[in-house]
Amino acid sequence: MTTDRQAILKDIEQRLLWLSCWTIHNANHLREKGDIKVGGHQASCASIVSIMTVLYFSVLRPEDRVAVKPHAGPVFHAVQYLMNRQTKEKLEAFRGYGGAQSYPSRTKDVDDVDFSTGSVGLGVAMTAFASLVQDYVRAKSWGAGENYGRMIALVGDAELDEGNVYECLQEGWKQGLRNTWWIIDYNRQSLDGVVREGLADRIKAIFGAFSWDVVLLKHGALQEQAFAEPGGAALRDWINRCPNALYSALTFRGGVAWRQRLVDEIGDQGDVSALLARRSDDALQDLMTNLGGHCLTTLADAFGAINHDRPTIFLAYTIKGWGTPLAGHKDNHAGLMTVAQMEAFRERMNIREGHEWDRYEGLTVAPGEMDAFLAKVPFFARGGRRYVDDAIATDGPVFLGDDLLSTQAGFGKILDDLARRDNALAERIVTTSPDVTVSTNLGSWVNRRGLFSRENIADTFRDERVPSAQKWRFSPDGQHIELGIAEMNFFLLLGAAGLSHSLFGKRLLPVGTVYDPFILRGLDALNYACYQDARFLLVATPSGVSLAPEGGAHQSVGTPLIGMSQDGLAAFEPAFLDELSVTMDWAFDYMQRDGEGDLDERTWLRDETGGSVYLRLSTRPIEQLVRRQDPAFRQGVVDGGYWLRQPGPNADVVIAYQGCVAPEAIEAVGRIGEDRRDIGLFAVTSADRLNAGWHAAQRVRRRGDHSATSHIERLLSGLPPHCTLITVIDGHPATLAWLGGVHGHKTVALGVEHFGQTGTIDDLYRHFGIDADAIVAAASNIAPGRPIRHLGAVG
Ligand SMILES: Cc1ncc(C[n+]2csc(CCOP(=O)(O)OP(=O)(O)O)c2C)c(N)n1
Ligand SMILES: [Mg+2]
């Protein structure tokens, strides 16, 4: 690196250090305070400023994508601010209403965040799946694009405690991961403490085992120079033996403490003592904190030396709080410089009072020189780096002719039908599953469309003439990405594939299948994907206690509530095939919408903005009703519910159900209806959308527009006040219990609240009180009304 370039990068590094610390200081000490502390992580920022300087201002290319460790958010914003891509107002409002986000956010920040971070570990693994998606897209005839980008994670060392990091390591190895860099900010401190000795060796061993290149950046140029001096070898040896906690403590105490300790331990009245004596206390502090991750030349050389696409981990030794009075203190994670410390820091950084926000304040190079340099930084050369891709037209629902079929089997048939088509929709669908491809009925899609791999891999069983329904041929054309069992990986892949249009300019329609109960296993990654506005179709099956013989360990109870409460995910639980057909067709369109979107004045849903979709399906075969395809039916399904049997004017009972308990609800209505002729039967296809529309309409009314009426309010508006709602679902009863709150109807909510057990569907429905008898019994307790005849045994 030339001296000029070095000076400019040094100036940038110092600006990033200053601006990130100042942004946090301003939010905590200068801005008007709220009731709780604002927070921010000056020490975590300081630790990574040198790494980010070299990356953003020298190494990165526009096609690269970066996940920045959450607590370096202020450094990221400072980078953008220096490039005039972030405003002072947003920085002044950091962590405040409408301000720059605490942790980099694709959806909330304005400054070109590639991957959101926040829940540690997820951003790390996200880069691996983004790289896999890049390979997938580029392997396709329609997927040509610019150069392959490197998917880069800036990782806090404690993030490596998260299991999902290692799950992804194994998956990446299987998939031939490449173009992925993880740069570890190895400050050996987490939130509470100091990491155990020897972690670096474990990391080397683990990553090496999965064929990653491991690059150690332990010492900076200053240290290397000192090591070359007489006595230097002893110093190097001492540094390498020094425990992490002691190194941190001495860093905090500074030059005097270093000298004392070093003289005590390796002082020899000879070369070593002379080496130390040649340095002032400040110079000694600079020397001892000159670790690889703080040395711009060491970093630039290490990154620049990579001339291959193998996955690479850089272990960059750093000091938490580097260059600030917080350096090395064990409690510095959330520590903030005091006003007095900040004052001293300001003076040391050459920042004039009143000029704290000036982009070029404190420069050592001429502003013109900096201008010229910044104008040519490759990463920013093209401006924004997000793509858009056109929406792909959907084909209309694929209706099926079966009389008795489960929604899971129906899903498989619909995909099979799509797989036969030669059109853009079928071309852009990519399926994936965590080792449950066959058992979630994706088999025939995979048989037709093949498995994805960058290399062709023959189907040995087929070649050896072993009869099997599954044809497992891997090729670059394949459209199914087969994952190992780890559900975290599954949701991270859906997240990455669901951002393909934005990351790589080519839209994918990801469809992922998983057992419904194991959504919980990957829930944080699902939330993470939604938070980034990734678009996918999640098909979760089997579900509930209806997977009866599988037992309690596989039964899902709370997932309908997850579907309702998860932002960015529209949840459906169709019972009948025609409902499923309509929902899937709608989903493929909904996944691609990106309008600003006012509220729809019929449903009060914000449908134009689109989102992901969750289908909770079942293996329970259900006898189908007369086929329905009319527009009103379709609309009802999409809006979240419709009257299967319209209640009469004097209805004193309405049964509302969601999902595969439809036959029980229908049977119960038949039995109850003998006495209560006005009884209604309400089919809920999406408690989520009904509920969301209801809340939104209420909000609109509270703001003064009294005409706002949601779908569910309209549907239930004709019910007499004395009418009782009986709701039933193979899932938690709270999913539908709120229906009574819409117009104040008494409600009896039936559902599952406890871990299940094995048995037949009949056994378990009886056990949990979601069978027809239980519904009838609930109705029999209702006043006014006549006693019910034909009441069966109630469990
Ligand atoms: C999943 C998750 N658990 C806990 C936290 C709270 N948390 C935030 S940072 C942190 C420690 C981070 O240490 P490290 O990764 O070493 O970062 P650095 O030292 O660079 O600040 C913890 C526990 C979180 N953000 N996400
Ligand atoms: Mg750390």
Side-chain angles (χ1 to χ4, degrees):
M1 210 193 302
T2 63
T3 358
D4 287 355
R5 190 175 173 82
Q6 209 167 342
I8 289 175
L9 287 178
K10 191 73 196 165
D11 266 358
I12 292 174
E13 173 203 64
Q14 294 299 301
R15 298 282 62 64
L16 298 184
L17 177 60
W18 166 255
L19 283 168
S20 56
C21 288
W22 177 251
T23 301
I24 297 167
H25 184 76
N26 177 72
N28 283 276
H29 292 292
L30 306 180
R31 203 169 69 208
E32 201 179 327
K33 288 205 181 89
D35 299 333
I36 59 168
K37 75 162 195 160
V38 178
H41 303 82
Q42 290 171 332
S44 302
C45 289
S47 175
I48 204 166
V49 283
S50 322
I51 294 172
M52 288 179 71
T53 300
V54 173
L55 270 184
Y56 279 91
F57 293 90
S58 180
V59 174
L60 293 180
R61 295 295 173 267
E63 61 271 22
D64 297 331
R65 299 285 178 272
V66 190
V68 176
K69 73 168 186 175
H71 300 78
V75 184
F76 175 80
H77 295 309
V79 167
Q80 302 290 334
Y81 182 68
L82 212 52
M83 296 304 301
N84 272 325
R85 286 155 204 265
Q86 175 60 289
T87 64
K88 184 176 155 214
E89 290 66 38
K90 290 269 180 199
L91 294 191
E92 281 175 331
F94 172 64
R95 289 184 165 234
Y97 190 65
Q101 280 286 309
S102 325
Y103 312 115
S105 170
R106 266 186 81 83
T107 47
K108 307 282 176 198
D109 279 319
V110 293
D111 50 356
D112 207 19
V113 173
D114 291 332
F115 301 111
S116 305
T117 52
S119 177
V120 300
L122 296 181
V124 186
M126 182 70 166
T127 57
F129 291 101
S131 181
L132 176 57
V133 170
Q134 176 175 245
D135 277 340
Y136 178 91
V137 167
R138 295 281 180 260
K140 301 293 185 270
S141 57
W142 45 264
E146 60 181 357
N147 297 334
Y148 280 85
R150 290 162 298 192
M151 304 296 122
I152 299 176
L154 301 176
V155 187
D157 44 3
E159 289 195 69
L160 295 175
D161 284 341
E162 292 287 358
N164 79 271
V165 169
Y166 301 95
E167 293 175 355
C168 119
L169 210 52
Q170 179 155 332
E171 190 63 54
W173 167 74
K174 280 191 288 187
Q175 305 279 353
L177 180 68
R178 55 180 181 163
N179 294 312
T180 304
W181 287 9
W182 290 353
I183 303 165
I184 314 299
D185 178 355
Y186 195 54
N187 58 31
R188 289 146 290 142
Q189 284 186 255
S190 60
L191 191 159
D192 286 335
V194 176
V195 309
R196 292 280 184 283
E197 303 307 321
L199 177 63
D201 291 336
R202 306 307 122 211
I203 293 173
K204 271 190 281 183
I206 291 171
F207 281 77
F210 287 103
S211 308
W212 283 55
D213 279 26
V214 182
V215 178
L216 228 58
L217 290 84
K218 194 160 188 182
H219 306 291
L222 271 186
Q223 288 195 351
E224 294 293 356
Q225 281 154 19
F227 299 156
E229 294 175 23
L235 179 65
R236 176 199 289 270
D237 189 45
W238 185 91
I239 291 177
N240 284 334
R241 279 187 288 106
C242 183
N244 292 334
L246 178 62
Y247 211 90
S248 291
L250 292 175
T251 299
F252 179 72
R253 292 179 54 207
V256 176
W258 282 118
R259 187 178 308 281
Q260 203 174 19
R261 192 79 183 203
L262 289 167
V263 168
D264 278 358
E265 299 198 359
I266 52 170
D268 58 357
Q269 306 298 319
D271 289 343
V272 178
S273 301
L275 186 155
L276 297 173
R278 278 195 293 278
R279 287 160 171 90
S280 68
D281 290 345
D282 283 350
L284 194 53
Q285 171 79 343
D286 285 348
L287 173 67
M288 298 306 282
T289 57
N290 180 244
L291 301 180
H294 292 302
C295 177
L296 302 175
T297 19
T298 304
L299 286 161
D301 290 349
F303 297 141
I306 307 298
N307 57 2
H308 54 76
D309 64 7
R310 290 191 298 278
T312 303
I313 184 164
F314 299 87
L315 209 60
Y317 279 69
T318 54
I319 303 251
K320 195 154 173 170
W322 177 79
T324 76
L326 306 170
H329 194 284
K330 74 184 189 56
D331 304 332
N332 65 8
H333 182 74
L336 296 170
M337 281 186 254
T338 62
V339 172
Q341 282 175 324
M342 197 65 194
E343 196 53 27
F345 184 59
R346 181 179 64 71
E347 289 197 353
R348 191 159 62 70
M349 300 290 281
N350 267 331
I351 309 290
R352 288 166 298 163
E353 208 169 347
H355 292 264
E356 292 87 351
W357 290 113
D358 292 3
R359 286 168 59 241
Y360 285 178
E361 183 67 7
L363 285 194
T364 64
V365 302
E369 223 180 314
M370 183 59 83
D371 273 337
F373 178 85
L374 294 185
K376 290 204 192 108
V377 177
F379 186 63
F380 301 97
R382 265 199 239 150
R385 295 150 46 260
R386 281 198 195 173
Y387 293 101
V388 286
D389 194 14
D390 292 340
I392 293 155
T394 53
D395 286 353
V398 177
F399 287 109
L400 304 173
D402 304 75
D403 294 326
L404 179 74
L405 205 69
S406 68
T407 46
Q408 173 176 316
F411 160 74
K413 283 190 145 191
I414 291 170
L415 264 198
D416 181 54
D417 191 291
L418 294 177
R420 293 164 199 252
R421 301 181 184 197
D422 181 18
N423 64 12
L425 184 82
E427 192 172 60
R428 295 298 180 94
I429 290 176
V430 55
T431 56
T432 186
S433 183
D435 205 22
V436 290
T437 299
V438 175
S439 52
T440 54
N441 279 57
L442 268 181
S444 42
W445 161 270
V446 176
N447 284 344
R448 289 187 196 283
R449 291 281 170 168
L451 292 109
F452 172 72
S453 161
R454 276 196 286 126
E455 317 288 336
N456 285 298
I457 304 172
D459 181 350
T460 305
F461 288 100
R462 191 175 157 83
D463 295 346
E464 294 295 325
R465 301 210 174 82
V466 178
S468 164
Q470 316 304 331
K471 303 183 199 95
W472 291 77
R473 192 178 56 82
F474 288 84
S475 78
D477 295 332
Q479 285 183 247
H480 176 73
I481 300 178
E482 178 67 6
L483 292 175
I485 306 174
E487 283 79 10
M488 273 289 187
N489 287 337
F490 167 71
F491 283 113
L492 285 162
L493 175 57
L494 285 180
L499 289 174
S500 176
H501 53 285
S502 175
L503 294 173
F504 307 118
K506 304 290 175 189
R507 186 179 290 285
L508 290 175
L509 297 169
V511 178
T513 65
V514 66
Y515 288 179
D516 194 54
F518 303 133
I519 283 180
L520 275 64
R521 185 65 170 258
L523 192 51
D524 200 23
L526 167 62
N527 180 58
Y528 178 68
C530 290
Y531 180 58
Q532 314 216 43
D533 200 23
R535 301 303 179 82
F536 50 86
L537 176 61
L538 169 64
V539 179
T541 178
S543 61
V545 298
S546 301
L547 49 70
E550 291 282 321
H554 276 40
Q555 294 163 355
S556 60
V557 172
T559 46
L561 296 174
I562 290 171
M564 286 177 81
S565 56
Q566 179 61 56
D567 193 14
L569 190 69
F572 289 83
E573 188 171 3
F576 297 103
L577 298 178
D578 45 12
E579 297 171 350
L580 175 69
S581 306
V582 168
T583 308
M584 281 180 67
D585 181 58
W586 177 85
F588 283 125
D589 185 63
Y590 184 72
M591 282 157 65
Q592 305 185 64
R593 296 181 195 169
D594 62 357
E596 284 300 312
D598 289 332
L599 286 168
D600 178 315
E601 296 202 358
R602 191 176 47 78
T603 58
W604 298 99
L605 294 165
R606 206 177 292 280
D607 272 358
E608 285 313 308
T609 57
S612 289
V613 179
Y614 160 33
L615 302 182
R616 187 177 191 249
L617 304 185
S618 170
T619 38
R620 181 185 189 194
I622 286 194
E623 214 167 302
Q624 301 298 306
L625 306 173
V626 177
R627 261 357 104 180
R628 302 157 295 179
Q629 298 190 5
D630 58 287
F633 164 73
R634 292 187 192 193
Q635 195 62 62
V637 168
V638 168
D639 290 348
Y642 61 93
W643 286 113
L644 205 46
R645 173 173 160 160
Q646 192 87 33
N650 295 315
D652 46 24
V653 183
V654 157
I655 314 287
Y657 74 91
Q658 175 170 294
C660 68
V661 291
E664 282 62 36
I666 291 169
E667 185 193 332
V669 163
R671 282 161 53 181
I672 301 165
E674 292 177 18
D675 296 289
R676 301 178 191 264
R677 300 215 180 280
D678 278 0
I679 185 170
L681 178 58
F682 185 55
V684 179
T685 49
S686 172
D688 178 26
R689 285 173 58 81
L690 291 180
N691 186 264
W694 178 49
H695 284 297
Q698 290 179 81
R699 269 195 300 275
V700 172
R701 290 201 293 271
R702 283 200 295 276
R703 286 181 201 144
D705 177 357
H706 298 287
S707 66
T709 310
S710 63
H711 184 54
I712 188 64
E713 287 168 315
R714 262 192 311 276
L715 285 173
L716 300 185
S717 63
L719 297 182
H722 73 270
C723 181
T724 294
L725 305 184
I726 300 174
T727 67
V728 57
I729 180 172
D730 177 1
H732 198 278
T735 311
L736 297 175
W738 60 274
L739 285 173
V742 173
H743 290 306
H745 289 103
K746 181 169 182 266
T747 302
V748 180
L750 307 179
V752 180
E753 290 165 274
H754 301 289
F755 293 117
Q757 45 189 303
T758 48
T760 64
I761 288 182
D762 284 350
D763 292 334
L764 298 184
Y765 281 17
R766 193 178 327 110
H767 178 88
F768 287 107
I770 54 173
D771 59 351
D773 288 345
I775 302 171
V776 172
S780 74
N781 291 328
I782 292 166
R786 296 176 294 276
I788 302 289
R789 288 177 282 130
H790 317 301
L791 188 60
V794 178

